[in-house]
Amino acid sequence: MRDAAPTTIYLKDYKPFGFDVTSVALTFDLNPHATRVKSRIAFAPKPDAGGQIFLHGENLTLISARIDGTAVDPEITDEGLTCTVPDTPFTWEAEVEIDPANNTALEGLYMSNGMYCTQCEAEGFRKITYYPDRPDVMSVFTVTINGPHPVLLSNGNPVKASEGRAEWHDPWPKPAYLFALVAGELVAHSDSFTTRSGRAVDLNLYVRPGDEGKCAFGMQALKDSMTWDEEVYGREYDLDVFNIVAVDDFNMGAMENKGLNIFNSAAVLASPETATDGNFERIEAIIAHEYFHNWTGNRITCRDWFQLCLKEGLTVFRDSQFTSDMRSAPVKRISDVIDLRARQFPEDQGPLAHPVRPESFQEINNFYTATVYEKGAEVIGMLRRLVGAQAYDKALSLYFDRHDGQACTIEDWLKVFEDATGRDLSQFKRWYSQAGTPTVTVKDAWYSGAYILTFTQDLAPSETTPDPQPQVIPIVTGLLSPSGEELVASQVLELTQASQSFTFEGLPERPIPSVLRGFSAPVVLKRELPDEHTAFLLAHDTDPFNRWEAGRDLARSSLLAMIREGAKPDAKYLDGLRAVFADDSLDPAYRALMLGLPGQSDLARTLHELGEVPDPAAIWDASEAMREALAKHLADLLPTLYETHQVTEPYAPNAEQSGRRSLANAALSLLSRTEGPERAQTQYDAADNMTQQLAALAVLLRQNAGDAALQAFEQQWSSDRLVMDKWFGLQVMQAEPDAVAATAQKLTEHPDFNWKNPNRFRSVIGAMAGHHAGFHHASGAAYTLLADWLIKLDPVNPQTTARMCSVFQTWTRYDDARKTKIAAELDRILALPDLSRDTTEMLTRIRGT
């Protein structure tokens, strides 16, 4: 039965563990249903240890336990064991039995299609053996694996191996969440890397037989990441071997276990025939992210899970820097902001809001959120912007030198910057403790050569931040002349007060402001800027982000008028985009992004903030009408754009080719609205790479001309699980709103719909939840279907279930009929007597109960 009141853990209650762990030796005797794990752990009591030790443990069968060779009989509960221990250093030995084959939660040691693998972050190690499973307990591990498998892997360096046996030793102290083990029938794609100090590192990417042809890009991305981290951050890899393993069943994208990264197959395997340009870029970024964790997360980890943003926010910021350097910095920045607004802003403004560093949690898996990751990265970016690139580099060097081998806090991180720069960051620290997205309102005034910008910041009170205080907000600003020249180059204005003015003197004429350039802070910017000024910024702003933002603002303004008043698409917006698309000097990828409309959920949020009740159907209709208008307004340009940006060279997933394909496919999508499906069919038939094939198939489906291609695609790719995930998801995403739930329901009946596989589940149920108009169709069919599947999945995989629940977080913004339907589904799930702790916490917060 479910606990009536799940335990809440508070940051303020943190206490260090009472023992040091000086060494850990583990032996695994692998068996699908009866794996034996023997542990030998050296403990050294601290002065206040208290004579008893508590070790976490879940779903374990204890076979034996000994202290210094003498059998003991500990007290065992569902959470772990408690045992009386000496007040001097002692050796704990235990043997437990676990059942990897039936571990469907995919936490701890589990099996994926016959392969053993692990996922221990955040609290999975306690499902492997009894241990103080907390990130501030760090130790050196030696691991022996016995099993009838050709590949037996763990963390660190290989010590010795023989048939059916392998021993590994990790010389760097680590917390248990970084432990990893893999065993199975695998093939290695191997390479090597020479560090800047001349040390050779063996690199291996392990995959299932048959996937060898999808490894080359991932290996190159790893080598590029290693080079970049040396050149930009001065960080050199510290082991003799670096292994990556591709796993089919994995709840997340990847895991940075020390020296043995385990990846969701979708986040590492790629070939031109099976992966899109977007897949390649995502793989490059995730490989970089997990590799960068070697220093920002592994060598320096977090003291407790409240400090999760210390490793994740910093590492997301680093992988964003990497992608910006490898590809297009403006396109990367715009893409990051689109993602932030789509995922993190709703989180910040709803019942799941929490500070970047939470003050409490019931289930830590529920705090692997966009706030911790993406907003955490934005906070790092602001800090770098405030102190400058040179001071940032100095502070990071000090951070690595001072805290290597430690489990740290946000206070440790900010103290490094204060010591390196002499700057007081006590006010800046509020970004870590206050929940919500600040609103910054800007007004301007002109007095005979003096131009004044006045900024006001506001943060709405919330349950976690009842009395918000002003934060430090870096606002990068430039001033443009009416002819488009830059009168004042970009400079950082530091907003530290509730209201603050900045004066620019000696200007020859009243300027047009370009505010929050590069999206220099994660805020909502409000300003009364005439549409003609916004159109001017779209045409002339020298900041790529703000030029894109101007187009976005015009599009949003026009769409809101279309939704509310039935207005026609704004000619200023259409003309502005026409100028952009006629400018061949612009990066094709940037032009393709300019064509994107504000997301439909984003429009719903805007209407809600204006005190109106959003109508998902009206938002869908307006967005479609705008795309039709764009197709007609750009009709004479689109054929040339499509033809001139075709790639005739052999496929390469680089920025240059990817940009050309993205612009050509954006043109194709619009062309089909005036020409029909013929051009898309031709592209589909001739495609030799997944980017072109999938883009053409999407157009054909939207044109109701895709049945034959859809069947041919399934026949061609039925044996490739990752490509079939695309086949499933595309049908839901391209469905009309009134058909989304029925399409998803039909696909769940397909023989290849394996709902226990997180990728496949997300490809159908996640795609349905992400189709705004379809999910919120007035029938409520999608609400019911999602609830049915969450009820079915929760006993099997509570982590994936809980994360999928977040789609309901904005439910209170809609009309009464929709709210009544959603509330009924939430209550139906919450009424289950055996609902997991993960899902219970998420839904009670969303429901407000």
Side-chain angles (χ1 to χ4, degrees):
M1 296 289 288
R2 181 177 56 190
D3 292 338
T7 302
T8 300
I9 301 170
Y10 294 93
L11 171 61
K12 62 182 176 61
D13 293 336
Y14 169 82
K15 293 181 180 179
F17 187 56
F19 301 80
D20 289 323
V21 180
T22 57
S23 67
V24 178
L26 302 173
T27 299
F28 289 80
D29 295 318
L30 299 177
N31 181 286
H33 291 287
T35 289
R36 291 291 181 98
V37 184
K38 299 172 185 175
S39 59
R40 182 181 175 88
I41 307 168
F43 287 103
K46 296 176 181 177
D48 56 351
Q52 284 197 322
I53 193 169
F54 173 77
L55 303 179
H56 297 101
E58 295 180 9
N59 303 326
L60 307 175
T61 299
L62 181 64
I63 306 301
S64 64
R66 295 184 299 276
I67 292 179
D68 292 335
T70 301
V72 293
D73 187 18
E75 178 185 347
I76 298 176
T77 67
D78 290 342
E79 289 76 37
L81 62 76
T82 303
C83 190
T84 301
V85 296
D87 59 3
T88 57
F90 63 92
T91 299
W92 164 271
E93 295 177 275
E95 182 174 4
V96 302
E97 185 174 284
I98 55 178
D99 184 358
N102 284 324
N103 181 3
T104 60
L106 312 184
E107 296 177 282
L109 179 66
Y110 65 94
M111 300 194 73
S112 172
N113 295 332
M115 178 173 69
Y116 293 87
C117 52
T118 55
Q119 172 54 33
C120 293
E121 188 177 358
E123 296 176 340
F125 191 78
R126 63 191 61 186
K127 297 182 178 181
I128 293 175
T129 192
Y130 288 104
Y131 193 78
D133 189 10
R134 42 190 289 169
D136 59 343
V137 175
M138 303 174 71
S139 185
V140 172
F141 279 64
T142 300
V143 178
T144 302
I145 311 170
N146 300 310
H149 312 282
V151 174
L152 301 169
L153 305 173
S154 192
N155 307 89
N157 296 320
V159 176
K160 54 187 174 182
S162 58
E163 185 174 353
R165 185 178 179 87
E167 183 177 328
W168 293 79
H169 177 69
D170 187 354
W172 302 103
K174 66 173 180 287
Y177 82 84
L178 291 172
F179 170 79
L181 180 151
V182 171
E185 185 81 30
L186 298 166
V187 180
H189 177 92
S190 301
D191 206 329
S192 63
F193 181 84
T194 302
T195 69
R196 62 180 182 174
S197 66
R199 209 163 38 80
V201 180
D202 293 330
L203 308 178
N204 298 291
L205 204 172
Y206 285 94
V207 298
R208 296 185 183 281
D211 284 336
E212 299 93 326
K214 301 178 183 178
C215 299
F217 182 81
M219 181 61 74
Q220 187 58 51
L222 173 59
K223 295 171 71 173
D224 290 341
S225 303
M226 298 175 81
T227 299
W228 187 90
D229 211 19
E230 288 187 350
E231 294 176 349
V232 178
Y233 278 84
R235 298 299 99 194
E236 185 174 323
Y237 187 61
D238 52 6
L239 291 168
D240 299 333
V241 62
F242 189 93
N243 291 322
I244 291 175
V245 181
V247 176
D248 292 340
D249 300 286
F250 203 71
N251 284 331
M252 297 172 286
M255 178 59 205
E256 71 267 17
N257 319 294
K258 182 70 177 178
L260 177 56
N261 285 188
I262 298 179
F263 273 65
N264 187 317
S265 296
V268 68
L269 299 182
S271 68
E273 299 79 18
T274 61
T276 65
D277 290 334
N279 296 146
F280 277 104
E281 182 173 343
R282 177 174 180 264
I283 287 168
E284 182 179 64
I286 293 177
I287 286 176
H289 179 95
E290 306 307 335
Y291 175 74
F292 296 157
H293 265 312
N294 188 62
W295 278 91
T296 51
N298 295 4
R299 288 283 288 263
I300 304 177
T301 192
C302 46
R303 185 196 71 179
D304 52 72
W305 291 121
F306 297 101
Q307 322 294 330
L308 181 60
C309 61
L310 178 62
K311 75 182 186 76
E312 294 299 349
L314 176 55
T315 306
V316 169
F317 177 71
R318 281 169 19 92
D319 79 55
S320 292
Q321 287 182 293
F322 170 77
T323 300
S324 295
D325 288 348
M326 296 296 290
R327 294 177 180 268
S328 164
V331 169
K332 174 59 176 171
R333 186 61 185 141
I334 292 168
S335 299
D336 283 349
V337 174
I338 290 173
D339 183 63
L340 185 80
R341 288 171 171 167
R343 296 175 57 241
Q344 197 279 321
F345 276 25
E347 193 170 271
D348 239 355
Q349 297 159 356
L352 299 182
H354 61 86
V356 172
R357 181 172 69 178
E359 296 293 327
S360 66
F361 63 80
Q362 292 176 2
E363 174 51 63
I364 184 55
N365 286 331
N366 290 337
F367 280 93
Y368 282 74
T369 63
T371 297
V372 166
Y373 280 69
E374 278 71 33
K375 188 174 181 179
E378 293 293 325
V379 173
I380 303 295
M382 284 190 292
L383 185 55
R384 185 177 188 269
R385 210 164 280 122
L386 287 166
V387 304
Q390 187 173 356
Y392 172 85
D393 292 344
K394 179 182 177 183
L396 264 292
S397 294
L398 179 59
Y399 177 65
F400 294 129
D401 290 343
R402 179 181 290 178
H403 295 296
D404 185 14
Q406 297 179 13
C408 296
T409 65
I410 294 301
E411 286 74 17
D412 296 325
W413 164 253
L414 293 178
K415 183 66 164 57
V416 162
F417 275 83
E418 290 182 329
D419 291 349
T421 67
R423 184 179 180 123
D424 181 359
L425 294 174
S426 55
Q427 185 182 9
F428 183 82
K429 186 182 175 183
R430 291 173 185 164
W431 279 104
Y432 287 102
S433 61
Q434 298 191 155
T437 303
T439 296
V440 174
T441 302
V442 57
K443 295 183 178 181
D444 67 342
W446 170 253
Y447 299 103
S448 302
Y451 183 67
I452 302 172
L453 284 173
T454 299
F455 297 93
T456 302
Q457 61 168 298
D458 179 67
L459 182 63
S462 65
E463 182 178 348
T464 55
T465 310
D467 184 27
Q469 298 298 308
Q471 299 177 184
V472 181
I473 303 177
I475 303 174
V476 177
T477 300
L479 302 179
L480 300 170
S481 74
S483 60
E485 296 176 352
E486 196 150 277
L487 295 175
V488 176
S490 293
Q491 58 182 265
V492 179
L493 307 180
E494 292 189 31
L495 177 61
T496 59
Q497 304 169 24
S499 184
Q500 198 169 343
S501 296
F502 300 87
T503 301
F504 303 84
E505 297 181 337
L507 301 177
E509 53 193 334
R510 180 171 186 151
I512 296 173
S514 175
V515 178
L516 204 69
R517 285 183 158 182
F519 198 69
S520 55
V523 302
V524 173
L525 183 67
K526 291 188 175 180
R527 53 186 172 178
E528 295 180 1
L529 197 63
D531 282 352
E532 55 267 26
H533 281 191
T534 306
F536 171 86
L537 293 173
L538 173 59
H540 299 290
D541 203 326
T542 54
D543 179 70
F545 178 86
N546 271 14
R547 188 174 186 183
W548 170 83
E549 184 81 302
R552 199 80 160 184
D553 288 344
L554 283 176
R556 181 180 291 103
S557 177
S558 180
L559 284 164
L560 291 175
M562 294 166 70
I563 294 165
R564 294 155 136 182
E565 308 156 16
K568 293 181 179 180
D570 184 7
K572 290 186 292 295
Y573 170 62
L574 298 176
D575 289 341
L577 273 194
R578 184 177 179 85
V580 167
F581 279 89
D583 186 353
D584 288 332
S585 68
L586 294 174
D587 176 7
Y590 180 75
R591 283 194 278 174
L593 273 177
M594 292 289 288
L595 194 58
L597 298 179
Q600 294 181 38
S601 182
D602 181 40
L603 292 169
R605 176 183 59 82
T606 302
L607 288 165
H608 179 68
E609 289 173 350
L610 294 171
E612 302 179 28
V613 177
D615 180 354
I619 294 172
W620 169 272
D621 290 342
S623 299
E624 285 296 289
M626 180 66 83
R627 292 188 178 95
E628 294 287 341
L630 283 168
K632 294 174 182 177
H633 199 72
L634 303 175
D636 59 323
L637 296 179
L638 292 172
T640 301
L641 279 173
Y642 179 74
E643 297 295 342
T644 58
H645 289 87
Q646 294 299 310
V647 177
T648 57
E649 309 90 69
Y651 179 91
N654 56 39
E656 190 273 332
Q657 281 197 19
S658 298
R660 287 160 60 191
R661 281 188 289 268
S662 66
L663 182 54
N665 285 329
L668 175 66
S669 181
L670 289 178
L671 275 170
S672 69
R673 294 176 179 270
T674 56
E675 293 184 353
E678 291 78 12
R679 199 185 294 258
Q681 186 66 59
T682 300
Q683 176 170 310
Y684 181 87
D685 293 339
D688 63 355
N689 63 79
M690 184 53 63
T691 302
Q692 299 300 85
Q693 188 176 24
L694 205 66
L697 181 57
V699 171
L700 291 172
L701 289 175
R702 194 182 59 247
Q703 290 287 313
N704 295 316
D707 289 349
L710 198 64
Q711 184 177 0
F713 192 96
E714 181 184 13
Q715 291 175 349
Q716 181 182 1
W717 297 112
S718 60
S719 62
D720 191 304
R721 57 202 178 279
L722 298 180
V723 177
M724 285 302 292
D725 287 337
K726 306 179 198 300
W727 181 85
F728 276 95
L730 191 64
Q731 294 176 71
V732 180
M733 291 185 288
Q734 293 300 324
E736 292 293 318
D738 60 355
V740 166
T743 301
Q745 173 62 47
K746 182 180 178 181
L747 289 170
T748 64
E749 298 165 3
H750 191 283
D752 287 339
F753 180 71
N754 176 10
W755 59 275
K756 294 182 180 180
N757 177 268
N759 290 349
R760 189 56 49 88
F761 186 84
R762 287 188 286 257
S763 73
V764 176
I765 304 302
M768 179 187 72
H771 192 304
H772 181 259
F775 183 65
H776 292 291
H777 189 264
S779 67
Y783 304 151
T784 301
L785 183 60
L786 175 59
D788 288 344
W789 278 103
L790 294 179
I791 290 170
K792 185 173 183 177
L793 184 65
D794 185 68
V796 174
N797 189 330
Q799 188 177 136
T800 297
T801 305
R803 291 184 179 185
M804 193 67 71
C805 290
S806 63
V807 71
F808 285 123
Q809 67 182 316
T810 59
W811 71 286
T812 56
R813 69 168 57 146
Y814 297 100
D815 58 85
D816 289 343
R818 286 181 171 86
K819 286 193 288 189
T820 298
K821 289 182 173 69
I822 294 174
E825 300 302 340
L826 296 177
D827 292 343
R828 178 161 69 98
I829 302 171
L830 283 167
L832 297 173
D834 55 353
L835 195 66
S836 71
R837 185 176 60 191
D838 307 59
T839 303
T840 298
E841 181 185 21
M842 289 291 283
L843 290 186
T844 52
R845 292 170 64 199
I846 290 170
R847 186 69 174 94
T849 58

